[in-house]
Amino acid sequence: MRPLFLTILLFVTALSGYYTQSSDRQPSLRQPSLGQPLPRQPLPRQPLDRPNILWIVSEDNSPLLGCYGDTFATTPNIDKMATQGVRYTNAFATAPVCAPSRSTLITGMYPPSLGTENMRSTYPSPAFVKFYSQYLKDAGYYTTNNAKKDYNTTDQLAAWDESSGKATYKNRKAGQPFFAIFNLTVSHESSIHKSTPTEQLRHKPSRVTLPPYHPDTPEMRHDWAQYYDKIEDMDTQVGALLDELEKSGEAENTIVFYYSDHGGVLGRSKRFMYESGLRVPMVIRFPPKYAHLAPAQPGTTTDRIVTFLDFAPTVLSLAGVPVPTHMQGKAFLGKQQGPARDYAHAFRGRMDERIDLVRSVRDKKYRYIRNYMPHKIYGQYLEYLWQAPSMGSWEAAYKAGKLNDVQKKFWETKPVEELFDVEADPHNIHNLAGDPKYATVLEKLRKVNHDYLVQIKDVGFIPEASVQEIARTTPLFDYARSGKYDVKKVIETAEMASLGDPKNLKELTRKLADTDPVIRYWAVTGCTILGNKAASVKTQLLALLNDPELSVRIAAAEAVAGLGEKEKAVDTLIGTLKIGNQMARVQALNVLDQLGPDARKAYPAVKAVIVGEKVDGSYDIRAAERIIAKTEN
């Protein structure tokens, strides 16, 4: 318990900061204007038993805000909120893209343990996993979501009292506490797909400070300037929601969170495992009556590491609702607050139509990244990402040989491991993994990553064509605990395979005949990574073109194509396109795309994939259209 005098001091300090309001919303590129304080309101007689909780969630933005030191940003409302609340400097998404991140938020569980890792998948969660809003609703809260869901798993419609573009906490019963989310989409990636005329931009392209990994092209400058405009628009919407709360009379009863669903939004941020993709802004404002729940005084910062895995337990803790034992995060506020975490874990699986597999660990100083498919370049073509004009200009500059070493790395294959000092290198461009001075740090974080994958039984290492079949009858979380998934053996095989070390070929060859198809898949992938250094096992790889497991057959086709057997590879891939497994088609189309003109025999089969309407989730169609478009150019 705090001494009485300290409680009174915190209360008065919070009160003075909280009731300082601004009537001036003119944008400022430097310092947010605080305006003139409004008359003080009467003190509440007694705290409510349970606070209201309001989440304001923006889309696709890194901490490009004035309160985080960005002097080019125009964000007076969030900046002011930071003077009234606590700003988090180490808040992280678990994935650098929306749907998997939102899966973490809604369940309080880590998607690679649930099988909800891959973008826009709807694989089922176990029956015991309820959305956190259901627990709040059962405890008497009025729960509203306005309006994005994108939970990457089977929806639970009953978890909300309202979920729509019109959902509002104002429809609750008198005296009923509420939990409300407002998702602001104005800063979403799509906001830069159509260029605003330069003369209409409020942030001028000529004044943009480009990150060192981006080339200085007109399109890149324009997209950055337009994005800052969208951030300003988002900030205006935040201000409107805060004003609405104030006018409703509930501001004094409501804890307000502002945060982004992941980083973004130009190339190498959203979808990518760097600070630009995973670190998010977060400010939490506590009204005076709940100042005792705040981790620090208003207008201050905390460097406590928090991740989206912790948000559901934290909301339940603040609301006085018991945190279910299956939730894998730690509450960082409220009576059920746990000890501060040492690490933030993150993941990347399939992004739209492109396959990759990456894991990351972040402490307060270093980010470690493990690439399990280092033979795939960072800049794999994604139809949606390439709608931004800046992406085409970046790729054109690469093909023209106009990029420096930092800028062209995006178009090259990846190292197996990456290590960055985030304090000295916030843009993550100086990989320290090969520097002997950092060997101890590298070894420590490598082990932290490995141990966590085994602990949570990471099912992301099961190829998605197999996941699709398993999920027809069994949630992946349950499958991983059924005795059928040897996670330790799988992780060790994937680690060995990704190293690309010829010394491991003998062991990989032995694993090509393993009874577990996931082990065979990773052994084959290891041979693909080795390339010509795996030529001695070509006969075994050719035999696997007839493997009973779809994903192994496709992986074998990729491996033998790299060893000169392109025709046999293409024949195998044509066969897999005709099977009713969408993720097998996506895997096969990825390989055919890499083969270029050598895959022309498959073009009729590829065209046959392009049927029906292309919607979110039609990733086989997107991949097929890319192949056909390349043949026509």
Side-chain angles (χ1 to χ4, degrees), residues 240-251:
L241 288 170
L242 294 176
D243 282 350
E244 183 178 40
L245 181 69
E246 190 72 34
K247 292 173 182 176
S248 74
E250 290 296 334

Side-chain angles (χ1 to χ4, degrees), residues 31-80:
Q31 184 71 23
S33 173
L34 295 179
Q36 298 299 317
L38 292 176
R40 292 189 181 277
Q41 304 298 318
L43 293 176
R45 295 178 183 174
Q46 187 175 340
L48 292 177
D49 291 335
R50 295 181 292 177
N52 303 320
I53 302 170
L54 172 63
W55 277 9
I56 302 175
V57 186
S58 59
E59 291 205 63
D60 298 8
N61 62 286
S62 302
L64 303 174
L65 309 172
C67 57
Y68 280 87
D70 191 326
T71 58
F72 193 54
T74 310
T75 52
N77 296 293
I78 299 172
D79 295 347
K80 181 183 297 180

Side-chain angles (χ1 to χ4, degrees), residues 189-261:
E189 176 181 15
S190 56
S191 67
I192 63 169
H193 287 175
K194 184 178 180 180
S195 293
T196 301
T198 302
E199 65 274 11
Q200 295 179 19
L201 293 174
R202 300 185 296 277
H203 293 80
K204 300 308 177 186
S206 61
R207 295 186 58 199
V208 169
T209 299
L210 295 172
Y213 48 80
H214 279 167
D216 193 345
T217 67
E219 295 86 352
M220 189 67 74
R221 284 190 170 277
H222 187 285
D223 279 3
W224 266 112
Q226 183 165 321
Y227 182 52
Y228 271 98
D229 278 7
K230 299 304 178 182
I231 293 292
E232 181 181 4
D233 294 341
M234 177 272 292
D235 178 81
T236 299
Q237 293 179 356
V238 171
L241 288 170
L242 294 176
D243 282 350
E244 183 178 40
L245 181 69
E246 190 72 34
K247 292 173 182 176
S248 74
E250 290 296 334
E252 63 183 16
N253 302 318
T254 305
I255 298 172
V256 182
F257 287 60
Y258 161 74
Y259 66 93
S260 167
D261 65 349

Side-chain angles (χ1 to χ4, degrees), residues 24-284:
D24 179 5
R25 299 204 179 277
Q26 293 302 313
S28 168
L29 292 178
R30 295 287 176 178
Q31 184 71 23
S33 173
L34 295 179
Q36 298 299 317
L38 292 176
R40 292 189 181 277
Q41 304 298 318
L43 293 176
R45 295 178 183 174
Q46 187 175 340
L48 292 177
D49 291 335
R50 295 181 292 177
N52 303 320
I53 302 170
L54 172 63
W55 277 9
I56 302 175
V57 186
S58 59
E59 291 205 63
D60 298 8
N61 62 286
S62 302
L64 303 174
L65 309 172
C67 57
Y68 280 87
D70 191 326
T71 58
F72 193 54
T74 310
T75 52
N77 296 293
I78 299 172
D79 295 347
K80 181 183 297 180
M81 184 179 169
T83 69
Q84 302 165 344
V86 179
R87 180 169 61 85
Y88 283 72
T89 60
N90 282 319
F92 300 98
T94 49
V97 75
C98 52
S101 272
R102 289 171 181 271
S103 178
T104 313
L105 288 165
I106 198 66
T107 63
M109 299 187 73
Y110 197 57
S113 74
L114 276 180
T116 59
E117 163 188 340
N118 294 301
M119 179 63 175
R120 293 273 157 73
S121 55
T122 53
Y123 304 122
S125 298
F128 64 82
V129 175
K130 293 183 173 60
F131 293 174
Y132 69 82
S133 54
Q134 184 68 60
Y135 297 108
L136 291 168
K137 185 178 176 184
D138 291 345
Y141 270 76
Y142 191 75
T143 59
T144 68
N145 177 60
N146 186 333
K148 186 170 183 175
K149 290 186 172 183
D150 215 7
Y151 299 142
N152 225 44
T153 189
T154 307
D155 200 0
Q156 298 178 17
L157 298 176
W160 300 100
D161 287 295
E162 293 183 64
S163 184
S164 73
K166 296 181 179 180
T168 173
Y169 54 84
K170 297 177 181 179
N171 294 330
R172 72 195 187 285
K173 298 175 183 176
Q176 185 179 14
F178 68 79
F179 172 81
I181 301 178
F182 288 89
N183 293 279
L184 308 181
T185 62
V186 69
S187 57
H188 185 265
E189 176 181 15
S190 56
S191 67
I192 63 169
H193 287 175
K194 184 178 180 180
S195 293
T196 301
T198 302
E199 65 274 11
Q200 295 179 19
L201 293 174
R202 300 185 296 277
H203 293 80
K204 300 308 177 186
S206 61
R207 295 186 58 199
V208 169
T209 299
L210 295 172
Y213 48 80
H214 279 167
D216 193 345
T217 67
E219 295 86 352
M220 189 67 74
R221 284 190 170 277
H222 187 285
D223 279 3
W224 266 112
Q226 183 165 321
Y227 182 52
Y228 271 98
D229 278 7
K230 299 304 178 182
I231 293 292
E232 181 181 4
D233 294 341
M234 177 272 292
D235 178 81
T236 299
Q237 293 179 356
V238 171
L241 288 170
L242 294 176
D243 282 350
E244 183 178 40
L245 181 69
E246 190 72 34
K247 292 173 182 176
S248 74
E250 290 296 334
E252 63 183 16
N253 302 318
T254 305
I255 298 172
V256 182
F257 287 60
Y258 161 74
Y259 66 93
S260 167
D261 65 349
H262 52 77
V265 67
L266 277 75
R268 198 188 176 271
S269 57
K270 180 178 179 178
R271 303 183 184 87
F272 296 92
M273 300 288 281
Y274 299 113
E275 295 292 283
S276 56
L278 290 166
R279 183 168 174 250
V280 298
M282 184 168 77
V283 177
I284 305 179

